Amino acid sequence: MVEYENVMKEKNQDKRIDIILTDAYDEHEQQSAICCYLEEYIKFPFKAKMRGEKNSKEFTVLRFTSISPHRVVCKVDVDGIKIRVPLTEIEPLDNKSSNTTVISDFLKLIENLV
């Protein structure tokens, strides 16, 4: 098994998820592993838009305001106005960034926990 420190080098999402959940044997441990993964690998600030909205206004994601496995909320700056947005609604503008990978992994992980 690839070490957790090398998780971002793994290109296959399912293998990354296996790495993230290594040694997480029950739901509580899996939830903790997800939170640790987000805290360690999301890099702030970053530019984003609302997921699935064709004409979404760009904004800057500044930081987490709360983090739990099923509800992660970020503070964002939209034209100088600070609001909170769930991570599930955020789509990084840079498709090649590690944030895009981490958020995609998060979406799949929470889908599997539900």
Side-chain angles (χ1 to χ4, degrees):
M1 179 68 65
V2 179
E3 292 183 28
Y4 183 76
E5 293 79 31
N6 296 321
V7 69
M8 294 309 293
K9 292 180 183 175
E10 178 56 59
K11 300 295 182 201
N12 181 283
Q13 184 179 48
D14 290 330
K15 289 181 182 178
R16 276 194 313 276
I17 288 172
D18 285 344
I19 294 167
I20 295 162
L21 297 178
T22 296
D23 297 329
Y25 300 107
D26 62 25
E27 186 175 342
H28 177 73
E29 289 178 351
Q30 290 175 353
Q31 292 172 350
S32 293
I34 293 167
C35 291
C36 288
Y37 178 59
L38 291 173
E39 289 173 334
E40 188 161 337
Y41 289 102
I42 292 278
K43 305 297 181 216
F44 296 103
F46 64 94
K47 297 287 186 188
K49 65 178 186 159
M50 295 299 288
R51 182 172 306 286
E53 288 190 21
K54 194 173 192 174
N55 297 317
S56 172
K57 184 175 263 195
E58 288 183 21
F59 53 86
T60 302
V61 183
L62 303 171
R63 64 180 176 85
F64 294 122
T65 58
S66 64
I67 185 166
S68 68
H70 296 290
R71 181 124 170 103
V72 176
V73 180
C74 295
K75 185 175 194 175
V76 304
D77 182 321
V78 183
D79 294 334
I81 300 169
K82 309 285 191 297
I83 61 172
R84 292 179 293 190
V85 177
L87 185 60
T88 55
E89 300 300 317
I90 293 172
E91 183 176 335
L93 293 181
D94 182 357
N95 290 334
K96 296 182 191 275
S97 77
S98 61
N99 287 344
T100 299
T101 301
V102 173
I103 293 171
S104 175
D105 292 349
F106 170 69
L107 293 172
K108 186 163 185 177
L109 280 160
I110 62 170
E111 177 184 298
N112 291 336
L113 285 179
V114 175

